[in-house]
Amino acid sequence: MFWPWCSAQGDTGISNTQILDERATEAGSAWLPVIVIPLFLVAPALWNGYPLLQWDTGGYLARWYEGYLVPSRSTVFGLYLHWGEGSSFWLNLGLQALATLWILQLTLRVLGLSQPLRLLWIGLLLILTTALPWLASMLLTDIFAGLSVLALFVMATQAGRISPLEKCALFGFVAFASATHSATLGVLFGLCCAGWIAYPLLRRQIALSGLVQASMTIVAGAAMLLAANFALSGQLAWTPGGTGVAFGRMLQDGIVAQYLKDHCSREKLKLCPYRNELPPTADDFLWGNSMFNKLGRFEGMNDEMGFIVKQSLAAYPLWQTKAAAVATAEQLMHVATGEGTNGWVPHTYGIIERYIPSQTQPMRAAHQQHWDIDFALVNWLHVPVALASMLAAAAIAGHAIWRRRRDDIALLAATVTLALLGNAVICGIISGPHDRYGARLVWIATFTVLVAAARHFGGERTAP
């Protein structure tokens, strides 16, 4: 075996030294994205001097200490944050950066695009042009939304190209991601439903075993959340808050005010005396200094808000339908980076000062707490890139359907487009349009476009 190999070397004029040099260069380039991408993903936090915080962060942190359930705050994610407290949460950011690198690399690998330098330039373009590094640098569930969509895609459509260990790791990751936020779980559930609907037509593209495994992650995530809620609060219950959030969106659309106007003459509701004083937005009502506080917040108002939500759905079906369509369209356009990531997060400050006083000083010294973060320049680039990426991803999926092409890039584009639409429906209709809900997911559209460009210009064969 040795001699023919040596003879071939002599015939081609390539020396052993040259081969060793080439292999050393390849090994070095393989490590380059492993070092550079995670470092740049947490660069905003490194510059800040402390992990980035958001208004919701404090609610998650408090779950371990307060031991009861609050609206829209997953105990699973609260436990995840508590695990990293001893490192001032840098362990959490490190894990988020490495998970991002892993999912990006794995997606490129199963698509046949796993060259290290390609991973590097795609990663750096995502870091420059999308919200990805801000999501990875923040103590919030948002980074797991987009990653879980890509992980679900790999699990369901590329089962034959990943090892049993990778299948187990993806299963655990998607289950955890779905347990961190109800909207993420809803998007993943919708994708699984779409997968089952499309399976009879796409038997060659969608592996039955992968689709079953992907669907079971939703069940596992729900079980994980119920178990964590029971362990921390003693209640075998889902995280509360969906009704209150939906009520806020209807209030913002004027539906609640109209319902009170039409029914307060014959129904005794706590909000009736305030029907002419309702604040203009859901955020002002739920989180501002409104009558909601006087009436007992969620504990005192849950039943009444749920009653008004159900009754107004029946009372104004056309209005509700129109409002839902408008909210979905607006949510698709709300993609700016940085909503809620400024110096005004007093609840989170208070939670850290109360329960983790040792971190008060570094938290207060961070740039964020001095209002040094300005996303205006960032969004000058991020917003047009996000909107163009969504259109391009949808165009790739639409072109494939029109031409009846069923390759893996088309399937990825269709998955991402459905995820973005599902996210807009869930978040827009229930919570009302917010930039944060769009920015946390739209970067996977940019990733899809970059993957399609790499496939097209790299000359690799499109996998059938």
Side-chain angles (χ1 to χ4, degrees):
M1 294 294 293
F2 176 76
W3 289 108
W5 178 81
C6 286
S7 176
Q9 300 299 313
D11 292 342
T12 59
I14 301 176
S15 67
N16 293 344
T17 303
Q18 287 176 302
I19 291 178
L20 292 175
D21 288 343
E22 289 176 2
R23 290 179 178 176
T25 301
E26 291 176 0
S29 64
W31 279 102
L32 194 58
V34 175
I35 297 171
V36 172
I37 292 178
L39 184 64
F40 277 77
L41 283 170
V42 297
L46 294 173
W47 168 82
N48 187 49
Y50 193 77
L52 297 176
L53 305 174
Q54 212 262 1
W55 179 276
D56 293 352
T57 304
Y60 292 109
L61 278 172
R63 301 289 44 83
W64 171 262
Y65 296 98
E66 295 177 349
Y68 57 85
L69 305 181
V70 298
S72 304
R73 301 294 178 264
S74 164
T75 53
V76 172
F77 190 72
L79 291 172
Y80 163 76
L81 290 183
H82 179 68
W83 166 76
E85 284 179 13
S87 67
S88 297
F89 304 106
W90 290 106
L91 275 176
N92 300 92
L93 298 196
L95 183 61
Q96 289 168 192
L98 291 176
T100 303
L101 174 68
W102 170 49
I103 296 298
L104 294 181
Q105 180 273 332
L106 182 61
T107 306
L108 289 174
R109 197 195 82 203
V110 298
L111 296 176
L113 300 167
S114 61
Q115 295 178 10
L117 292 181
R118 178 179 287 135
L119 171 62
L120 180 63
W121 71 255
I122 288 179
L124 290 178
L125 280 176
L126 288 173
I127 288 168
L128 176 65
T129 63
T130 74
L132 187 57
W134 301 95
L135 301 176
S137 295
M138 190 180 302
L139 300 180
L140 204 59
T141 66
D142 292 3
I143 182 61
F144 298 109
L147 292 178
S148 61
V149 170
L150 296 178
L152 196 78
F153 166 80
V154 172
M155 191 185 306
T157 68
Q158 309 291 327
R161 300 178 180 178
I162 54 177
S163 68
L165 180 61
E166 288 172 326
K167 292 179 182 178
C168 291
L170 287 172
F171 185 94
F173 180 81
V174 176
F176 168 77
S178 66
T180 62
H181 201 284
S182 295
T184 300
L185 186 145
V187 169
L188 297 176
F189 176 76
L191 289 176
C192 288
C193 290
W196 284 109
I197 294 172
Y199 177 70
L201 299 175
L202 300 174
R203 292 176 182 271
R204 294 180 61 187
Q205 289 75 35
I206 301 177
L208 179 60
S209 60
L211 188 55
V212 170
Q213 184 182 18
S215 302
M216 290 304 298
T217 62
I218 310 301
V219 178
M224 189 185 302
L225 181 60
L226 290 172
N229 285 351
F230 181 77
L232 286 184
S233 69
Q235 296 179 265
L236 189 62
W238 198 257
T239 303
T243 299
V245 174
F247 176 90
R249 197 271 301 166
M250 293 182 189
L251 178 146
Q252 189 166 291
D253 289 333
I255 295 173
V256 171
Q258 186 63 48
Y259 183 86
L260 295 176
K261 180 180 178 181
D262 294 344
H263 295 82
C264 277
S265 60
R266 57 183 182 273
E267 295 178 9
K268 293 183 178 179
L269 299 171
K270 296 178 182 179
L271 279 172
C272 284
Y274 304 97
R275 62 183 180 273
N276 297 320
E277 306 171 21
L278 296 175
T281 70
D283 289 340
D284 290 333
F285 179 78
L286 294 173
W287 316 114
N289 186 23
S290 72
M291 67 287 297
F292 186 58
N293 296 332
K294 300 176 184 177
L295 297 175
R297 296 192 61 75
F298 289 99
E299 185 176 351
M301 288 293 294
N302 261 336
D303 291 342
E304 180 165 312
M305 289 191 297
F307 174 81
I308 293 176
V309 166
K310 293 175 184 177
Q311 294 300 313
S312 62
L313 283 170
Y316 316 110
L318 292 179
W319 190 354
Q320 293 279 13
T321 302
K322 180 181 177 181
V326 170
T328 298
E330 289 182 353
Q331 181 57 72
L332 286 171
M333 301 298 292
H334 279 65
V335 292
T337 300
E339 183 186 31
T341 309
N342 51 39
W344 179 246
V345 285
H347 180 254
T348 297
Y349 298 159
I351 293 297
I352 291 177
E353 290 171 348
R354 182 187 309 168
Y355 297 121
I356 323 173
S358 61
Q359 295 191 30
T360 299
Q361 184 175 352
M363 177 195 70
R364 288 292 185 184
H367 286 286
Q368 180 182 357
Q369 282 65 61
H370 294 277
W371 293 82
D372 293 338
I373 301 178
D374 184 1
F375 288 97
L377 182 61
V378 169
N379 283 316
W380 180 83
L381 176 63
H382 286 192
V383 170
V385 167
L387 296 176
S389 297
M390 282 196 296
L391 289 174
I396 293 170
H399 181 263
I401 294 173
W402 177 261
R403 298 290 299 272
R404 297 184 180 181
R405 292 180 58 192
R406 298 178 181 179
D407 59 75
D408 46 13
I409 299 296
L411 196 57
L412 174 62
T415 301
V416 168
T417 300
L418 286 175
L420 291 169
L421 182 59
N423 180 69
V425 170
I426 293 170
C427 295
I429 293 176
I430 297 178
S431 301
H434 287 76
D435 282 305
R436 175 195 155 198
Y437 303 149
R440 70 186 177 193
L441 200 61
V442 73
W443 67 268
I444 62 175
T446 308
F447 174 68
T448 301
V449 174
L450 292 175
V451 168
R455 170 71 62 79
H456 178 75
F457 293 107
E460 282 87 350
R461 181 178 63 87
T462 298

